[in-house]
Amino acid sequence: MAAHIRRRLRKGATTTAVAAAAVAALAASQAPAATLADAGGGDPKAAGEDTASADDGGAATGNSPYYTDLPPLVTPDKPGSSSNLPVTGSAEAGIPASILAAYKQAEQTVATTDPACRLPWQLLAAIGKVESGQARGGRVDANGTTTSPILGPALNGQGFALIKDTDGGAYDSDAVHDRAVGPMQFIPSTWASWGQDANGDGRKDPNNIYDAALAAGRYLCANDRDLAIAADLDKAVLSYNRSTEYLRTVRSWFSYYQRGTHEIPDGTGRLPTAPSTPSPSPGTPSPGTTPGPKPSPSPPGGKPTPGPSKPGDGSTGSKPGDGSTSPKPKPPTSKPTPAETFGSLENAGTGPLRATAGQAFDERVAVLARNALGAPLGKVSVTFTVTGDTGTLFAGGRKTVTLRTGADGTATAPELRAGEKAGEFTVTAVAGTGRPRTLTYAATVTARQADTIARTGEKALVAAPGEKFADAVTVKATYKDAAAAGVAVTATMVKDPLGLFDNDKGPYFKDAAGKPVRTLTTLTTDAEGMLRLPEIFADGTEGTYLLRLTTEGGGSVVIELTVKAPEETAPEGTTPEETAPKETETPEA
């Protein structure tokens, strides 16, 4: 039964009823992540076919023919395995290695520049399958360029759209009429707007699978689409070809590739067999062929059979300005071009955001807006917001500021001034409406610092056992030779100058309850960078002890504390001999 269905489809039986039955059969064994939007029983309007004009402004392919072959009815048995299945199975179902690599590279590139689009590479693979049979079975060179150009038939109005030449034959070698070009079948006028250089060779080549796949990805993501949403995905596919039959066919392959596929060697894929439109008039090449002197054969009976239409073929909804003689809706005059459409928001080189409490940040937050083609875009409104409890604000005391990007696509937020509280906070940049792009920058406020701390007096600090030191310890902290105000200072009784070992004997401080403590962490310098330590007490053990003071920023100083009993002194007006005890004479017997 499955083979019978495929034979009928390959003979061109692509009516709505047959296609619906085939899709229903496929749906029994595979489930796409984004469900096909309700097509209203085959009514193009219900699927967004007629309304896509306002949203999409035309189609990518100029309504060139596409292939209607559907996936095998036996689907991969590893849901979610994607391209990780072994290299087995029919060549028709596999994807050539270079073609698969190009789709995945395009997905990754778009995920970086427009992550909100959520472009899946399987959608590119589905479109590449129906447009060119995966670049004619993967017949590409090492750089991903097709071994010979892939050209659709001349859009000369004879069974196809009438689109007069727009590129002087530069892309399609036809200076009279336009033809769809390359593995993703862009007409020259569309490629002029959306073409990409994805392989870095300095050329935007529609016959290069890397360039074409990225261009298709950006085209599908236009108009702020989120392709994880069924309605947006349907609009994107219909922007390639405004035909519900085309949408069903792409959807079938998309679902198939989501279930899993396998990689095959380049050049070993099999070209599909059933084009959607009748063979063109004599002298017009069929899809996937290059122009030549030999005419293409006409279909049996000499008359073309009707097939699904494609945007730009002269039917309602064809691309404005494509030369079609049929009536077509006019797009809104305010519709932006790809060069005017906001595509992505990126970091414009902002470095690490760090500053000391109360100081200005050296770095300023900067963003770069790009259009749908990846070029810088000016006049984009960007809102910057500070979030956190460090007290950090933009210059002028503002937490939020809105700016527009300049002609170079960049916008730079005002200077940030750190608050007094150390900690982390974030700055967010948001741009775009409907589907905003957001960037988040992490920032840190560190405590005030001092790179030097020194005692201000030189008098020896001495106390008797059990007494307190009479002279207070006073120090001054500086940072880059300037007084360091508000710097935290730690005071610790230690056994060695490096402070590697704390001392649990000798001098001590007292806490609020009057109990001995030998480390203080709540000390802070005043506005002049000065600090007077609390009273220090001696225990009953004599000796020389060390007090070490350290600051944020690396400043440190070690101070000696001596505990010893006071020396006895003679009363005034006497000599030591006079005060010394005398021997008592014993009377003679």
Side-chain angles (χ1 to χ4, degrees):
M1 179 63 181
H4 177 62
I5 292 176
R6 285 198 294 272
R7 282 197 300 273
R8 292 183 63 191
L9 289 173
R10 288 174 179 143
K11 289 180 180 178
T14 56
T15 63
T16 301
V18 174
V23 172
L26 284 169
S29 59
Q30 55 196 34
T35 306
L36 177 66
D38 183 5
D43 181 4
K45 292 182 180 180
E49 183 169 326
D50 291 341
T51 61
S53 176
D55 183 43
D56 304 307
T61 64
N63 211 33
S64 294
Y66 62 90
Y67 294 106
T68 59
D69 293 40
L70 291 175
L73 293 178
V74 178
T75 61
D77 58 359
K78 295 185 178 181
S81 61
S82 191
S83 61
N84 298 322
L85 294 180
V87 185
T88 58
S90 70
E92 179 183 13
I95 300 178
S98 293
I99 313 304
L100 181 60
Y103 296 149
K104 290 188 174 183
Q105 177 177 299
E107 178 192 61
Q108 293 171 358
T109 301
V110 173
T112 300
T113 60
D114 188 5
C117 175
R118 295 192 278 185
L119 169 73
W121 67 261
Q122 292 91 340
L123 180 59
L124 296 175
I127 290 176
K129 182 68 174 180
V130 301
E131 292 294 347
S132 68
Q134 308 299 18
R136 296 186 303 204
R139 289 168 176 80
V140 296
D141 62 20
N143 295 320
T145 302
T146 56
T147 52
S148 60
I150 299 179
L151 298 174
L155 300 176
N156 55 11
Q158 300 181 33
F160 306 106
L162 175 60
I163 305 180
K164 295 181 180 180
D165 177 66
T166 61
D167 67 329
Y171 293 121
D172 56 10
S173 300
D174 189 333
V176 179
H177 298 97
D178 269 349
R179 302 169 184 263
V181 183
M184 303 306 281
Q185 289 288 278
F186 281 95
I187 55 174
S189 58
T190 305
W191 183 259
S193 296
W194 293 91
Q196 302 288 311
D197 176 19
N199 66 346
D201 64 357
R203 298 180 59 226
K204 297 178 180 179
D205 184 359
N207 278 297
N208 180 275
I209 186 58
Y210 291 96
D211 294 356
L214 181 57
R218 294 199 189 283
Y219 184 90
L220 293 167
C221 288
N223 301 302
D224 287 342
R225 296 191 188 100
D226 180 351
L227 299 182
I229 299 174
D232 278 7
L233 188 144
D234 288 353
K235 288 180 180 179
V237 175
L238 289 169
S239 76
Y240 233 84
N241 184 310
R242 206 172 337 277
S243 160
T244 47
E245 192 65 43
Y246 179 87
L247 174 61
R248 288 192 182 100
T249 305
V250 170
R251 274 288 200 164
S252 296
W253 281 105
F254 176 51
S255 175
Y256 182 85
Y257 289 140
Q258 282 185 312
R259 291 279 297 175
T261 185
H262 58 276
E263 178 184 297
I264 60 176
D266 288 347
T268 64
R270 189 166 63 197
L271 191 66
T273 58
S276 65
T277 57
S279 299
S281 301
T284 303
S286 298
T289 64
T290 56
K294 296 181 180 181
S296 301
S298 299
K303 295 183 180 180
T305 55
S309 63
K310 211 169 187 182
D313 63 356
S315 62
T316 301
S318 61
K319 189 172 183 177
D322 60 7
S324 171
T325 58
S326 301
K328 56 181 78 69
K330 295 182 179 180
T333 57
S334 60
K335 180 175 177 59
T337 65
E340 299 170 331
T341 303
F342 178 43
S344 63
L345 191 67
E346 304 172 13
N347 185 348
T350 304
L353 295 172
R354 300 190 188 94
T356 302
Q359 303 299 312
F361 282 76
D362 292 334
E363 287 282 332
R364 293 171 64 180
V365 177
V367 298
L368 170 62
R370 294 187 183 276
N371 62 21
L373 300 177
L377 181 63
K379 298 182 180 180
V380 175
S381 180
V382 184
T383 298
F384 300 90
T385 304
V386 176
T387 303
D389 61 355
T390 64
T392 300
L393 298 170
F394 289 117
R398 295 169 293 174
K399 294 191 70 172
T400 300
V401 62
T402 300
L403 304 171
R404 285 187 177 273
T405 58
D408 62 353
T410 64
T412 303
E415 180 183 70
L416 283 167
R417 180 162 291 274
E420 290 298 331
K421 184 178 179 181
E424 297 181 349
F425 68 98
T426 60
V427 179
T428 56
V430 181
T433 58
R435 186 162 57 85
R437 278 66 158 179
T438 302
L439 289 178
T440 301
Y441 300 80
T444 303
V445 176
T446 59
R448 290 176 179 266
Q449 299 181 350
D451 51 21
T452 304
I453 185 170
R455 186 183 170 204
T456 58
E458 297 180 355
K459 185 177 180 181
L461 299 170
V462 182
E467 302 294 333
K468 70 179 180 179
F469 288 79
D471 298 304
V473 177
T474 304
V475 295
K476 182 175 183 178
T478 58
Y479 183 68
K480 296 182 179 179
D481 298 326
V487 174
V489 179
T490 299
T492 306
M493 300 298 175
V494 296
K495 293 181 179 180
D496 62 295
L498 295 179
L500 300 178
F501 303 97
D502 293 351
N503 202 340
D504 56 358
K505 295 180 181 179
Y508 58 88
F509 303 102
K510 287 184 178 180
D511 62 13
K515 295 181 179 180
V517 292
R518 291 185 169 83
T519 297
L520 294 179
T521 59
T522 57
L523 306 174
T524 306
T525 60
D526 62 18
E528 303 298 325
M530 302 294 294
L531 171 65
R532 180 187 176 97
L533 269 63
E535 292 180 325
I536 302 175
F537 299 86
D539 64 7
T541 306
E542 295 187 13
T544 299
Y545 299 90
L546 302 178
L547 168 63
R548 188 169 189 264
L549 305 179
T550 58
T551 68
E552 291 286 344
S556 67
V557 63
V558 176
I559 300 172
E560 284 192 358
L561 302 174
T562 301
V563 178
K564 69 176 183 178
E567 295 181 356
E568 294 185 5
T569 58
E572 290 186 11
T574 62
T575 64
E577 290 79 4
E578 293 177 326
T579 59
K582 296 181 179 180
E583 294 184 358
T584 303
E585 294 184 1
T586 303
E588 293 183 0

